[in-house]
Amino acid sequence: MTDTPYKIEGADRPGRWLLACDHATNHVPDWVSDGDLGLPAADMARHIAYDIGAAGVTRKLARLLDSPAILSQFSRLVIDPNRGEDDPTLVMRLYDGTIIPGNRHADEDEINERLRRLYRPYHAAYADLANKMTDPIICAVHSFTPRLRGRHPRPWEIGILYAEDDRLAKPLIDACRAAGWVTGDNQPYAGHLPGDAVDRHALQHDRPNILIELRHDLITDEAGQTLWAERLAPILTDVLADSGL
């Protein structure tokens, strides 16, 4: 895996959607803790390190919508691009019961280096891509674990998250439920943190937006990713057309 902090696909596609996958990979660059955060491979394959299946859905959905996509190229455990720079969870030292050894002693200089080399270039590219588009619609794609340690199972197949701008989210929730999917309304968690990626690239620019969360056991393999991309593309197209945005 390259140490380039982001990958853009279909930059010249004409669609209005801008697909973003903030947690696309579990990759740790070689210069971060010698390329090893001190976790066993089994933990790096868990949801704590990346959004399982989300990158595949993002790529396939972007192609179906004939729209560009940007995907991160570093693990959320290195630094989380879906957090504000002043968020205390920007660099996690403990996540879902797992201590992150490579982050335990990360000081201000180390965090600043990760900001400079990974986080800020990702957001600069995201902003540049959005600014080059005409009236872009931000669509962030994430996945969630079926169950956190010590918690109840999560029943939702898909969650639609939003902040105060629900112009697309509310009709999308209705459409997903009409399709028969167990759909969370700002579940499995609320859809806004100050300074997060949607705030930064959509809300602060009054761009219509949605954040899609898919339960990751449904999209672990390519067949599941294709299925959900093909399910979502026509619904997103119809919801946007009906909105008049």
Side-chain angles (χ1 to χ4, degrees), residues 8 16 56 85 98 122 131 157-158 169-170 181 188 190 219 235 242:
I8 293 173
R16 286 183 62 196
E85 290 195 16
T98 298
Y122 171 76
N131 288 335
E157 296 171 278
I158 185 171
K170 287 295 190 181
W181 308 331
I219 56 169
I235 287 179
D242 292 345

Side-chain angles (χ1 to χ4, degrees), residues 40-71:
D43 275 331
M44 288 303 296
R46 293 175 58 218
H47 70 97
I48 63 173
Y50 73 124
D51 281 357
I52 296 166
V57 173
T58 301
R59 291 187 175 99
K60 296 173 190 301
L61 188 55
R63 287 195 292 269
L64 291 169
L65 294 171
D66 202 15
S67 293
I70 183 167
L71 302 94

Side-chain angles (χ1 to χ4, degrees), residues 8-56:
I8 293 173
E9 298 190 359
D12 296 328
R13 292 173 186 156
R16 286 183 62 196
W17 296 95
L18 197 172
L19 284 293
C21 188
D22 300 322
H23 302 144
T25 177
N26 58 2
H27 176 63
V28 179
D30 291 342
W31 55 269
V32 176
S33 189
D34 296 323
D36 184 356
L37 292 174
L39 291 173
D43 275 331
M44 288 303 296
R46 293 175 58 218
H47 70 97
I48 63 173
Y50 73 124
D51 281 357
I52 296 166

